[in-house]
Amino acid sequence: MRFKLKYYICFLICFFVGCYYLVKPPKFIEAPKIAVAVLWDIDTIYLTSLKPYSVISLGKAINLDANQKLIIIYARDTIFVYKSSKQKLLASGEKIIFESPEKISIGKDQRNLTAYHRRIIISKDIAHRFPTKYHLTAINILPLEQYLYGVVSCEIGIANEQELEAVKAQAVCARSYAMLLLGKKKDFDVYGSYLYDQEYQGADREYLLAIRGVQATTGEVMTYNDEIILAQYHACCGGRTTDGRFSYLRAIVDAPYHSSRAKPYCHKAPYFQWVEKFSLQDFRDSILKLAGIKYKFTFDIKLDINKRTKRVEHLKFIADKEYKLTGETIRQAFNLKSTFFNLQITKDSVIINGHGWGHGIGLCQYGALEMARQKISYKNILKHYYHNIKIAKIY
């Protein structure tokens, strides 16, 4: 009997020790910092701080008084810093760092400065993903969570207490997106613009509910197969999202239980439905120009619409041969709010009836706000929009 008891005790000890090594606890990291490009393609930058601040170049620091206004100018392959239009403070052939215990304000002109937290680096001739004419880029270095205060405030907009769960969902989306891109570029991580990454307008755009949403989800990201996801999101899907590049970005009907018979969550959005009208001649001329055709044709237009997502995949027409333009090309050319549209062609006009605003991939912000008002938790909001994801706390 004693032998059996000892055997079972040894078995249990070995089992639990074995499980410990087979199922390792998650690894936690420290909250990182992020480098955000906030100004680019510019040769003159104005800068100041409400508190005393420092300018650092080539290992040398110069302390400045509060409200000291500076002008940073690129000339002769060098960055010059002036206290006034005539008094030069220093110069550098690479980059100049500005540090403050609180905020540093910068801008393209003296009347429109934006306040950013902690540290600004101004560098020359940084590579961008698009052609640039001018040389300077201003980069804000700050803790990731503090960056998210500004992003969530800008991206979800001013929400109320009933919509806090949507704000939390937005915070997890923005954190996941930022974490995925961290360290991927040489000089900075993300652009501070929704046109390229996420909208970030500095410290003065932050508001309390957005900060609460970020703090309530500190360190939380979405994962798929144990990897952080590309958490794309948009303003309004118009009732249906569309497919993204990855399997977790799967098109859904944005309604309870993904039912096409139910009312979409984003049906109250101002751009759930929209209409644009063009003259038939102008529309055709623009289409010919987009296709690179210099001579005029009278032609019929057909749309290839994805039956599942309802998005326009191609616009087709026949001139000297068949031409195809992508739905995104048409959207950009005619400044449409989405590719979720149809055409109504009359004798002399083209009427475009559309739904939603944005690319339609991932979380629909207006839909998330409505789900929050219906007391749906932020985790369930995220699982509604992203297929088979998990929410993990990484710091």
Side-chain angles (χ1 to χ4, degrees):
M1 189 72 179
R2 288 180 180 177
F3 174 79
K4 287 184 177 180
L5 183 61
K6 288 180 179 179
Y7 174 82
Y8 284 123
I9 291 171
C10 289
F11 171 79
L12 290 172
I13 291 170
C14 292
F15 175 80
F16 286 115
V17 170
C19 285
Y20 174 82
Y21 286 106
L22 285 172
V23 185
K24 294 181 180 179
K27 291 182 179 179
F28 293 91
I29 64 172
E30 293 182 359
K33 291 186 177 181
I34 190 167
V36 189
V38 293
L39 286 179
W40 54 87
D41 199 14
I42 187 172
D43 273 357
T44 302
I45 296 173
Y46 295 87
L47 183 146
T48 191
S49 175
L50 294 176
K51 298 287 185 178
Y53 64 109
S54 301
V55 185
I56 304 166
S57 178
L58 301 175
K60 179 183 177 182
I62 299 174
N63 296 322
L64 297 172
D65 294 332
N67 298 310
Q68 175 68 64
K69 296 177 181 179
L70 301 179
I71 307 171
I72 299 93
I73 297 173
Y74 174 87
R76 302 188 301 277
D77 201 34
T78 303
I79 306 171
F80 293 96
V81 180
Y82 291 90
K83 280 189 175 181
S84 64
S85 58
K86 295 181 179 180
Q87 187 181 358
K88 185 170 73 175
L89 184 65
L90 56 85
S92 172
E94 294 296 329
K95 63 183 179 182
I96 297 178
I97 301 169
F98 301 85
E99 288 188 342
S100 170
E102 292 189 11
K103 302 174 186 177
I104 299 174
S105 297
I106 64 171
K108 296 181 179 181
D109 62 73
Q110 291 176 303
R111 291 172 295 178
N112 296 294
L113 301 182
T114 300
Y116 296 101
H117 291 290
R118 303 195 180 234
R119 172 182 278 205
I120 295 289
I121 297 176
I122 295 180
S123 297
K124 71 180 183 70
D125 297 327
I126 283 178
H128 290 273
R129 66 173 77 160
F130 42 79
T132 55
K133 182 179 178 181
Y134 301 104
H135 301 268
L136 297 183
T137 301
I139 300 165
N140 185 201
I141 311 291
L142 74 165
L144 178 64
E145 295 298 305
Q146 201 167 36
Y147 158 75
L148 293 174
Y149 296 163
V151 170
V152 173
S153 297
C154 291
E155 288 286 1
I156 199 70
I158 302 298
N160 60 45
E161 191 71 30
Q162 289 182 316
E163 297 163 339
L164 178 59
E165 293 301 302
V167 177
K168 293 179 187 177
Q170 176 68 77
V172 176
C173 288
R175 187 181 294 107
S176 301
Y177 185 96
M179 284 296 301
L180 187 67
L181 296 182
L182 216 60
K184 296 294 173 63
K185 297 186 184 76
K186 179 182 177 182
D187 297 294
F188 63 92
D189 299 306
V190 293
Y191 287 95
S193 168
Y194 74 92
L195 295 173
Y196 309 110
D197 286 310
Q198 303 187 114
E199 190 70 10
Y200 172 64
Q201 296 180 19
D204 291 343
R205 276 296 301 271
E206 298 169 5
Y207 73 100
L208 184 58
L209 197 72
I211 294 172
R212 283 176 55 196
V214 172
Q215 292 176 343
T217 63
T218 298
E220 291 185 2
V221 296
M222 286 180 283
T223 65
Y224 182 84
N225 290 339
D226 297 323
E227 293 184 358
I228 298 173
I229 73 166
L230 179 66
Q232 291 178 271
Y233 52 89
H234 59 282
C236 174
C237 69
R240 289 174 182 264
T241 68
T242 190
D243 294 314
R245 290 161 50 196
F246 304 101
S247 56
Y248 50 79
L249 297 171
R250 189 176 70 178
I252 63 160
V253 176
D254 187 21
Y257 308 105
H258 303 306
S259 171
S260 58
R261 295 182 179 181
K263 187 174 288 187
Y265 284 119
C266 61
H267 73 279
K268 296 178 183 177
Y271 297 106
F272 178 74
Q273 290 182 295
W274 47 266
V275 178
E276 298 287 350
K277 187 174 181 179
F278 305 91
S279 77
L280 181 58
Q281 189 61 55
D282 288 346
F283 191 80
R284 281 178 171 164
D285 288 348
S286 297
I287 293 295
L288 291 172
K289 186 176 180 180
L290 287 171
I293 301 173
K294 295 181 180 179
Y295 42 91
K296 291 189 177 183
F297 281 96
T298 298
F299 56 87
D300 292 327
I301 296 169
K302 292 184 179 180
L303 297 180
D304 281 339
I305 296 178
N306 186 301
K307 292 181 180 180
R308 190 164 57 89
T309 68
K310 305 302 181 183
R311 262 66 180 181
V312 174
E313 293 186 346
H314 293 96
L315 180 149
K316 299 190 299 186
F317 68 96
I318 297 175
D320 55 330
K321 61 179 183 179
E322 183 177 80
Y323 290 85
K324 292 172 70 173
L325 299 170
T326 67
E328 186 59 31
T329 298
I330 300 302
R331 177 194 172 192
Q332 292 181 15
F334 293 96
N335 198 27
L336 305 178
K337 292 177 176 62
S338 74
T339 58
F340 190 170
F341 65 85
N342 214 321
L343 299 181
Q344 180 184 347
I345 300 175
T346 66
K347 184 178 179 180
D348 57 2
S349 65
V350 175
I351 300 169
I352 301 179
N353 295 289
H355 289 80
W357 191 2
H359 51 61
I361 301 171
L363 179 135
C364 168
Q365 290 168 322
Y366 275 101
L369 289 165
E370 177 60 28
M371 292 179 79
R373 289 191 288 267
Q374 294 183 23
K375 302 187 184 308
I376 298 172
S377 73
Y378 76 96
K379 292 185 178 180
N380 286 332
I381 291 173
L382 294 171
K383 290 175 181 178
H384 171 80
Y385 288 106
Y386 302 97
H387 182 60
N388 280 347
I389 56 95
K390 295 180 180 179
I391 298 170
K393 188 174 178 66
I394 58 173
Y395 57 81

